[in-house]
Amino acid sequence: MGSAPAGKIVFACFLVSIVLFSTVHVNAQGVAGGQTRKYVVFREDDVTPGAKFAELQAVNQVQIDKNVPVTIGIIPHPNATAGNQLLENKQFLNYMRSIASNRLFEFAQHGYTHQSAGTASPSEFYGRPYAVQYDTIKKGRDDITQAFGVVPTTFIPPFDKGDNNTLKAAKALGFTEYSTAFRDFNINEGYMDGVRIDAVSLVFANESLQSMESATDRFLNDTHGIDTFVVLYHPADFSGPDGTVSSERVKMLADYIDYLKGTGRVQFTKLDHTWTTEGGESSSSSGTSPVKTTVDSNNEANSIWTGIGLSGGLPLYASLGLIAFACIGFLWFRVRSNPTRRPPKRL
């Protein structure tokens, strides 16, 4: 083998290595410089005509003042009376209608009655027949649409507990997002049966500001973990011991949002991903979804998207090593198969 072809092969391998190294370097810079795509979703459950109205207004006002979106889980039919109960409380109805068109708010469906069906663990849906679940979810969806002019696309099972029939019924009714606890499907973030699942990451009622910041730091620094952090709260979480709105709890939420913005490493979105802030302070009106790796629901309906991508660096380093190894092996093979011929000795 001549030196010119070998030199060209080495040079080509060298160029490929430079490109790969540059990509690794750029991705590493993105992580170090706070440019990673990490998302925070606030999920507000148990919003219903019987909810604590002052607390509901107070916590939603924090989201408005901070220009941070939130997914609102609406309970359509919390008691046994007939009719669309979302229409009965005029104060609640008018308020919810006033924010329905605000892009900060996503109206999601949080079950139907939010009453346990008597299973071993609290759940409105777990273990019930598919047809019953389908009809119940449909009635709730239709009530929300009638009351607020919104067709919800995110379903949240009460008590964060459902089963495969719950997911299938929700999908059949047009829901594309599903938020629950990890235990339901052993998925923190991913796709199942063509529906995106985002599990709860942190429950506001159980935390202090310091513990929330610590949990968020772990999320931000885990480059191989999930990319969406779901923070769950309820209007009742902001009640004081005397039954009035707790200014301390409201301030804690505001301080936590300020902390998130201060990291410079998160964007805020909703479970339906219809609007996402750009960076910590400014917002985008493009209505585009966050850039995520998705799973082809036709071919890999039950695959789990884990958030392990190129930005982690490890797949690229592995590729770099494999290409270098392949180049060396190719050169060795060519040399062995085409040994340099020396002129015969003169006798």
Side-chain angles (χ1 to χ4, degrees), residues 169-199:
K171 180 186 178 183
L173 288 165
F175 290 90
T176 57
E177 312 289 330
Y178 190 103
S179 185
T180 186
F182 170 80
R183 65 175 182 266
D184 264 10
F185 306 110
N186 293 328
I187 296 175
N188 273 320
E189 178 180 78
Y191 284 81
M192 185 170 178
D193 293 333
V195 178
R196 180 176 173 85
I197 297 173
D198 284 292

Side-chain angles (χ1 to χ4, degrees), residues 140-222:
R141 184 202 63 183
D142 293 346
D143 284 352
I144 291 173
T145 301
Q146 180 188 20
F148 309 123
V150 174
V151 180
T153 59
T154 296
F155 186 79
I156 304 168
F159 312 103
D160 282 325
K161 181 67 175 176
D163 58 22
N164 288 339
N165 281 333
T166 317
L167 183 66
K168 291 176 182 177
K171 180 186 178 183
L173 288 165
F175 290 90
T176 57
E177 312 289 330
Y178 190 103
S179 185
T180 186
F182 170 80
R183 65 175 182 266
D184 264 10
F185 306 110
N186 293 328
I187 296 175
N188 273 320
E189 178 180 78
Y191 284 81
M192 185 170 178
D193 293 333
V195 178
R196 180 176 173 85
I197 297 173
D198 284 292
V200 173
S201 307
L202 183 149
V203 179
F204 182 88
N206 300 335
E207 305 290 341
S208 65
L209 179 59
Q210 183 179 10
S211 65
M212 289 196 299
E213 291 178 357
S214 297
T216 308
D217 285 341
R218 291 192 295 272
F219 158 70
L220 292 174
N221 293 325
D222 185 359

Side-chain angles (χ1 to χ4, degrees), residues 39 286 331 340:
Y39 300 91
S286 62
L331 285 172
T340 303

Side-chain angles (χ1 to χ4, degrees), residues 20 23-32 35-38 220-225 227 293 305-318:
L20 284 169
T23 307
V24 172
H25 179 69
V26 167
N27 280 297
Q29 288 286 343
V31 173
Q35 301 303 313
T36 53
R37 291 283 179 174
K38 292 281 191 175
L220 292 174
N221 293 325
D222 185 359
T223 58
H224 299 303
D227 78 336
T293 302
W305 184 82
T306 62
I308 301 176
L310 295 179
S311 60
L314 180 59
L316 287 174
Y317 281 120

Side-chain angles (χ1 to χ4, degrees), residues 332-346:
W332 177 82
F333 176 79
R334 289 296 299 271
V335 170
R336 288 294 301 268
S337 60
N338 297 284
T340 303
R341 296 180 178 274
R342 295 182 180 180
K345 294 182 179 180
R346 295 178 182 271

Side-chain angles (χ1 to χ4, degrees), residues 77-88:
H77 200 85
N79 59 56
T81 62
N84 186 346
Q85 295 172 16
L86 297 174
L87 303 174
E88 295 174 358

Side-chain angles (χ1 to χ4, degrees), residues 260-310:
L260 290 167
K261 290 184 175 183
T263 66
R265 298 175 63 187
V266 304
Q267 293 175 261
F268 300 98
T269 189
K270 301 172 286 188
L271 287 170
D272 65 2
H273 310 299
T274 54
W275 184 71
T276 301
T277 61
E278 293 293 339
E281 298 293 339
S282 61
S283 60
S284 167
S285 59
S286 62
T288 56
S289 300
V291 178
K292 296 176 181 287
T293 302
T294 58
V295 176
D296 183 344
S297 60
N298 292 324
N299 298 326
E300 298 182 53
N302 295 312
S303 296
I304 299 173
W305 184 82
T306 62
I308 301 176
L310 295 179

